[in-house]
Amino acid sequence: MEWINNLPAELQFALFSLLKILITVFAVVLPMVAYSVVAERRISAWIQDRVGPNRVGPWGLLQPAADGLKFVLKEDFTPNYVRKVYFWLAPAVSMVPALMTLAVIPFGTKIGNQNAVISDLNVGILYTFGIVSLSVYGIVLAGYASNSKYPFLGSIRSSAQMISYEIAMGMSVVPVFMLVGELNLTKVVEYQASGAWIIFKQPVAFVIFLIAAFAETNRLPFDMPESESELVGGYHTEYSSMKFALFFLGEYAAMIAVSAMMVVLFLGGWTLPFAGLNEPAESLVMGLLQIGIFIGKLLLFMGLFIWVRWMLPRFRYDQLMDIGWKRFVPLSLANIILTAIYLYFTYKK
């Protein structure tokens, strides 16, 4: 590996960044997406007193491979009446933002000599919300391009829902950065490593962010853009084969991204509330252990997403909008004001 050290610093940075991207996407996120589907089917079967997938491989562990093969081999049918360019573009636009969000998520301190984050931006949270807001374009494009009433209704619902809850979600994290004084996500974790996790200081912000996350990822009880009982399948009604698979993968990738955000902002990232694991990693083993802690916390949120889907009924649309605008927006504003008052009197002393 001596030849790498002889390369220009800019080229070394590019190579290691590319390696981090490949590892994050292909070794971490895509396997997690695949087995999140298996976990969802297993948990739903357990809740409904069924068996779940158990035919493909031991305990059904090869089910993702069978599902992927099915998507690849199915006919990729494009109806004649759709707007073809937008119809093909929409699935990719829906999938990519969730993967781009992971670029600023710090999974640990260091792995060897490299930071355990692809890009440690000073405005990481602003980048995150900027990218997350793009995911709605994929759904809107899918509804518009399908040239059909049910997908179009689903895309309109999605745009209104995401705009509504994105405001509440963005305002809920303002008190977090008022406490930390930084927009850098690594600094947020370091702040929690030296004290209590922010979930204990900002429980209201956490609850608002958590519920808004369900709405942003179109998960029950906020799955109005799909709602099979009303809109057949919503924005992806006309899709099949790999185009449908991209929407499917995009939903689970978005769940992983928003769960990672909650771990960083409220649950201390890679830290644990006892000594020895909160300091920068000095060895490869310690770096991998920190990443394991982070992924363990992330999986808790993924389990919560899956459990809620099979336990709660869908909201009516008026209830969904009422909660967003009349409850969460005023509550998040009040939380910001109370946090500002607390900080004013604390620092004044």
Coordinates of all heavy atoms in Angstrom, one line a residue, residues 86-87 90-91 136-147 151-152 155 235-236 238-239 247:
Y86 N -40.1 10.9 -18.3 CA -40.3 11.1 -16.9 C -40.7 9.8 -16.2 O -40.3 9.6 -15.0 CB -41.5 12.1 -16.7 CG -41.2 13.5 -17.3 CD1 -42.0 14.1 -18.2 CD2 -40.1 14.2 -16.9 CE1 -41.8 15.3 -18.8 CE2 -39.8 15.5 -17.5 CZ -40.7 16.0 -18.4 OH -40.4 17.2 -18.9
F87 N -41.4 8.9 -16.9 CA -41.7 7.6 -16.4 C -40.5 6.8 -16.0 O -40.5 6.1 -15.0 CB -42.6 6.9 -17.4 CG -43.2 5.6 -16.9 CD1 -44.4 5.7 -16.1 CD2 -42.7 4.4 -17.2 CE1 -45.0 4.5 -15.7 CE2 -43.3 3.2 -16.7 CZ -44.4 3.3 -16.0
A90 N -38.4 8.8 -13.0 CA -38.9 8.9 -11.6 C -38.4 7.9 -10.6 O -38.1 8.3 -9.5 CB -40.5 8.8 -11.7
P91 N -38.3 6.6 -10.9 CA -37.7 5.7 -9.9 C -36.3 6.0 -9.4 O -36.0 5.9 -8.2 CB -37.7 4.3 -10.7 CG -38.8 4.5 -11.7 CD -38.7 5.9 -12.2
V136 N -39.3 13.9 -2.9 CA -40.7 14.1 -3.3 C -40.8 14.2 -4.8 O -41.9 13.9 -5.4 CB -41.4 15.3 -2.6 CG1 -40.8 16.6 -3.1 CG2 -42.9 15.3 -2.8
Y137 N -39.8 14.7 -5.5 CA -39.9 14.9 -6.9 C -40.0 13.6 -7.7 O -40.7 13.6 -8.7 CB -38.6 15.7 -7.4 CG -38.6 17.1 -7.0 CD1 -37.7 17.5 -6.0 CD2 -39.4 18.1 -7.6 CE1 -37.7 18.9 -5.6 CE2 -39.3 19.4 -7.3 CZ -38.5 19.8 -6.2 OH -38.5 21.1 -5.8
G138 N -39.4 12.6 -7.2 CA -39.5 11.3 -7.8 C -41.0 10.8 -7.8 O -41.5 10.3 -8.8
I139 N -41.6 11.0 -6.6 CA -43.0 10.6 -6.5 C -44.0 11.4 -7.4 O -44.9 10.9 -8.0 CB -43.5 10.6 -5.0 CG1 -42.6 9.6 -4.2 CG2 -44.9 10.3 -4.9 CD1 -42.9 9.6 -2.7
V140 N -43.7 12.7 -7.4 CA -44.5 13.6 -8.2 C -44.3 13.3 -9.7 O -45.3 13.3 -10.4 CB -44.2 15.1 -7.9 CG1 -44.8 16.0 -8.9 CG2 -44.6 15.5 -6.5
L141 N -43.1 13.1 -10.1 CA -42.8 12.7 -11.5 C -43.5 11.4 -11.8 O -44.1 11.3 -12.9 CB -41.3 12.6 -11.7 CG -40.5 13.8 -12.1 CD1 -39.1 13.5 -12.2 CD2 -41.0 14.4 -13.4
A142 N -43.5 10.4 -10.9 CA -44.1 9.1 -11.2 C -45.6 9.3 -11.4 O -46.2 8.7 -12.3 CB -43.9 8.2 -10.0
G143 N -46.3 10.1 -10.6 CA -47.7 10.4 -10.7 C -48.1 11.1 -12.0 O -49.0 10.8 -12.7
Y144 N -47.3 12.1 -12.3 CA -47.5 12.9 -13.5 C -47.2 12.1 -14.7 O -48.0 12.1 -15.7 CB -46.6 14.2 -13.5 CG -46.5 14.9 -14.8 CD1 -47.6 15.7 -15.2 CD2 -45.4 14.8 -15.6 CE1 -47.6 16.4 -16.4 CE2 -45.4 15.5 -16.8 CZ -46.4 16.3 -17.2 OH -46.4 17.0 -18.4
A145 N -46.1 11.4 -14.8 CA -45.7 10.6 -16.0 C -46.7 9.5 -16.2 O -46.8 9.0 -17.4 CB -44.3 10.1 -15.8
S146 N -47.3 8.9 -15.2 CA -48.2 7.7 -15.4 C -49.4 8.1 -16.2 O -50.1 7.2 -16.8 CB -48.6 7.1 -14.1 OG -47.4 6.6 -13.4
N147 N -49.8 9.4 -16.2 CA -50.9 9.8 -17.0 C -52.2 9.1 -16.6 O -53.0 8.7 -17.5 CB -50.6 9.7 -18.5 CG -51.3 10.7 -19.3 OD1 -51.8 11.7 -18.8 ND2 -51.4 10.5 -20.6
P151 N -52.4 7.3 -9.8 CA -51.0 7.7 -9.5 C -50.9 9.2 -9.3 O -50.2 9.7 -8.5 CB -50.2 7.3 -10.7 CG -51.0 6.1 -11.3 CD -52.4 6.4 -11.0
F152 N -51.7 10.0 -10.1 CA -51.7 11.4 -10.0 C -52.2 11.9 -8.6 O -51.6 12.8 -8.0 CB -52.5 12.1 -11.1 CG -52.4 13.6 -11.2 CD1 -51.1 14.1 -11.4 CD2 -53.5 14.4 -11.0 CE1 -51.0 15.5 -11.5 CE2 -53.3 15.8 -11.0 CZ -52.1 16.3 -11.3
S155 N -49.5 11.2 -6.1 CA -48.4 12.2 -6.1 C -48.8 13.5 -5.5 O -48.0 14.2 -4.8 CB -47.9 12.4 -7.5 OG -48.9 13.0 -8.3
Y235 N -48.8 6.2 -6.5 CA -47.9 6.7 -7.5 C -47.2 5.6 -8.3 O -46.7 5.9 -9.4 CB -46.9 7.7 -6.9 CG -46.1 7.1 -5.8 CD1 -44.9 6.5 -6.1 CD2 -46.5 7.1 -4.5 CE1 -44.1 5.9 -5.1 CE2 -45.7 6.6 -3.5 CZ -44.5 6.0 -3.8 OH -43.7 5.4 -2.8
H236 N -47.1 4.4 -7.8 CA -46.4 3.4 -8.5 C -47.3 2.3 -9.1 O -46.9 1.2 -9.4 CB -45.3 2.7 -7.7 CG -45.7 2.2 -6.4 ND1 -46.7 1.2 -6.3 CD2 -45.4 2.4 -5.1 CE1 -46.9 0.9 -5.0 NE2 -46.1 1.6 -4.3
E238 N -48.6 2.1 -12.1 CA -48.3 1.7 -13.4 C -46.9 1.0 -13.6 O -46.5 0.7 -14.7 CB -48.4 2.9 -14.4 CG -49.7 3.6 -14.3 CD -50.9 2.8 -14.9 OE1 -50.6 1.9 -15.6 OE2 -52.1 3.2 -14.6
Y239 N -46.2 0.9 -12.5 CA -44.8 0.4 -12.6 C -44.7 -1.1 -12.4 O -45.5 -1.7 -11.7 CB -43.9 1.1 -11.6 CG -43.6 2.6 -12.0 CD1 -44.4 3.6 -11.7 CD2 -42.5 2.8 -12.8 CE1 -44.1 4.9 -12.1 CE2 -42.1 4.1 -13.2 CZ -43.0 5.1 -12.8 OH -42.7 6.4 -13.2
F247 N -38.5 2.0 -6.5 CA -39.4 2.6 -5.5 C -39.4 1.9 -4.2 O -39.3 2.5 -3.1 CB -40.8 2.7 -6.1 CG -41.1 3.8 -7.1 CD1 -41.4 3.5 -8.4 CD2 -40.9 5.1 -6.7 CE1 -41.7 4.4 -9.3 CE2 -41.1 6.1 -7.7 CZ -41.5 5.8 -9.0

